[in-house]
Every structure is written in structure tokens, then in C-alpha cells.
Amino acid sequence: MENKNLTKIALMQGLNEQEISLILNCLQAKIKKYEKGETIFQEGEKVEEIGIIFSGTVTVQRNDYWGNRSIVALLGEMDVFGETFACLNQSSDVQVIAEESSEILFLQVNRVLTTCSSSCQFHNRLIRNLLEICARKNYQMNVKVDILSQKTTREKLLTFLSRQAIRLGKQQFEIPFNRQQLADYLSVDRSAMTVELGKLKKEGIIDFQKNVFTLNR
């Protein structure tokens, strides 16, 4: 762990490296490696640990009875996952998959939420950080609900792209999804989405080159 910049982890914000070292020991931190396509959390699995991505990318997804995938989120380095289910001490209703070779740091959530035997002075800060992470995730889910509430594929695309541009403050930006991932995130048919993207480009509303999009006024 000494080669990682642990101060970049959202859960560790406001703590220095020495304090983080003590926290990791207190929370029984462990690192696991996963290959591309390997399952980190399975739907229905009891979650007791918070996962932090040291390297790689993971997909948080739901699969229906027929195997159709819906992407909840695509997470990258230093992102946190599993915190909601771990805090509630309940089984996961999502599946977390490694999109590429990844290293995941796991922390025991029960040791985050309760004061340790040594009365670790950094726990209050840790709990505040965890609350901020949960609040941010809640906001992101509200954003997705707004996108998915749009009636047509065109409206979903425009709402998604508009929110990306506003969030980043840029007319031109790169999205984190490939075409299939974007279709799964928007819960639309990929072919229909591709056709709609072509129409929007032809109409001059948007332009794009692979994952880089430009919104035109």
C-alpha cells in the first residue's frame, strides 16, 4: 500500500498518511486482485466490507430474470462501492464486475461505524467522509432517475449529455461509457440509440468522435 497515494481516497479526506496508516490497521484493511470479468460482489451476497478501487475499473450492474443488463455506475480508481449495503448490513441487489484487471482495497464497515477499542481519534472524520460519499451517491442516483424518466431514447440521450456538459462545465467532453455500456446505462436498445445519435449529429445538435461529444447551441 505504500506505493499508493491513499490521501486521494474520498473516505480518507482530511487525514494524513500517518493517520491513514493507523486507520487501515484499525479497519483490518486487505487488498484483493481481480481479473477482467471476475465478480467482486454478487447479487444476493451479504456485504460487510466497503470496497475502494486501487487500480482498474468496475461496473455496478443489475441483471433481470432474462439476463438483460442495466448499468448503475462505472467506477474508476479511488472510487468507493458497497458502502450502502455494508452500512445497512444487508445483501447486495447489484452485481459488481471487474471491467479490467483491478486491485480492490476492502475495509470492515462495522469498524468504521463503531469506536474501536483504542478510541481511535480519526473515526469522527471517517464517519463524516462516509456520510458525504453516501450523499453524493444518492445525488447521482437522482440524476439517473431524471435521465431514465425521459420517455424516448432521444430525450434520454440529450438529458444525459446535457447533464455531463453542465457538470463538467464544457461544451466538449469525454463520456466514460462505450456504446454498449451507454445503452445499458440508459436502458435502451443499442441499435436504436446508435440511429438516434446519427440523427442528432446530422441535425447539428451534437457532434462526436468515439467517446468525445460536443454539444452545439
Side-chain angles (χ1 to χ4, degrees), residues 28-41:
Q28 297 181 341
K30 60 184 178 182
I31 292 179
K32 291 185 180 180
K33 294 183 178 181
Y34 295 87
E35 297 304 318
K36 181 179 179 180
E38 194 171 354
T39 299
I40 301 170
F41 285 162

Side-chain angles (χ1 to χ4, degrees), residues 3-20:
N3 295 326
K4 304 292 183 179
N5 189 352
L6 301 177
T7 59
K8 290 184 177 181
I9 299 174
L11 191 61
M12 306 296 176
Q13 291 298 303
L15 302 175
N16 59 42
E17 292 183 2
Q18 182 179 5
E19 292 168 338
I20 291 173

Side-chain angles (χ1 to χ4, degrees), residues 113-132:
L113 300 177
T114 58
T115 304
C116 59
S117 58
S118 57
S119 297
C120 175
Q121 60 182 337
F122 314 122
H123 263 79
N124 286 339
R125 181 67 198 187
L126 205 63
I127 291 172
R128 286 201 301 271
N129 289 342
L130 181 59
L131 180 59
E132 288 180 11

Side-chain angles (χ1 to χ4, degrees), residues 41-204:
F41 285 162
Q42 186 62 268
E43 289 181 71
E45 179 180 344
K46 189 70 171 294
V47 178
E48 298 178 341
E49 297 173 313
I50 296 172
I52 299 171
I53 304 169
F54 258 13
S55 64
T57 307
V58 308
T59 299
V60 182
Q61 62 187 50
R62 286 190 176 93
N63 302 296
D64 67 17
Y65 183 81
W66 295 274
N68 298 308
R69 179 177 75 161
S70 174
I71 291 181
V72 177
L74 184 65
L75 305 177
E77 191 170 309
M78 299 304 171
D79 280 337
V80 178
F81 62 90
E83 71 287 345
T84 300
F85 305 111
C87 288
L88 292 174
N89 193 30
Q90 71 177 42
S91 300
S92 172
D93 69 351
V94 297
Q95 186 178 31
V96 182
I97 304 290
E99 283 290 307
E100 57 186 338
S101 181
S102 303
E103 286 183 300
I104 310 298
L105 170 68
F106 290 100
L107 305 174
Q108 287 286 336
V109 73
N110 64 317
R111 289 176 170 263
V112 176
L113 300 177
T114 58
T115 304
C116 59
S117 58
S118 57
S119 297
C120 175
Q121 60 182 337
F122 314 122
H123 263 79
N124 286 339
R125 181 67 198 187
L126 205 63
I127 291 172
R128 286 201 301 271
N129 289 342
L130 181 59
L131 180 59
E132 288 180 11
I133 290 169
C134 290
R136 194 176 304 116
K137 292 285 186 72
N138 183 61
Y139 171 75
Q140 291 169 352
M141 288 306 299
N142 286 337
V143 168
K144 186 171 183 183
V145 168
D146 176 47
I147 294 169
L148 295 185
S149 67
Q150 305 304 311
K151 294 181 179 180
T152 66
T153 298
R154 181 188 184 94
E155 290 171 340
K156 288 180 180 181
L157 279 168
L158 289 175
T159 302
F160 169 76
L161 293 172
S162 174
R163 280 193 169 272
Q164 291 289 308
I166 292 171
R167 180 177 66 85
L168 297 171
K170 296 179 180 179
Q171 180 183 8
Q172 184 178 83
F173 51 88
E174 183 175 3
I175 66 172
F177 303 122
N178 60 35
R179 291 295 184 268
Q180 185 59 60
Q181 290 171 336
L182 179 58
D184 290 341
Y185 179 80
L186 298 177
S187 295
V188 298
D189 178 75
R190 177 180 174 176
S191 297
M193 183 192 73
T194 301
V195 170
E196 201 59 56
L197 283 172
K199 289 180 180 178
L200 289 168
K201 184 174 183 177
K202 186 176 181 180
E203 294 170 19

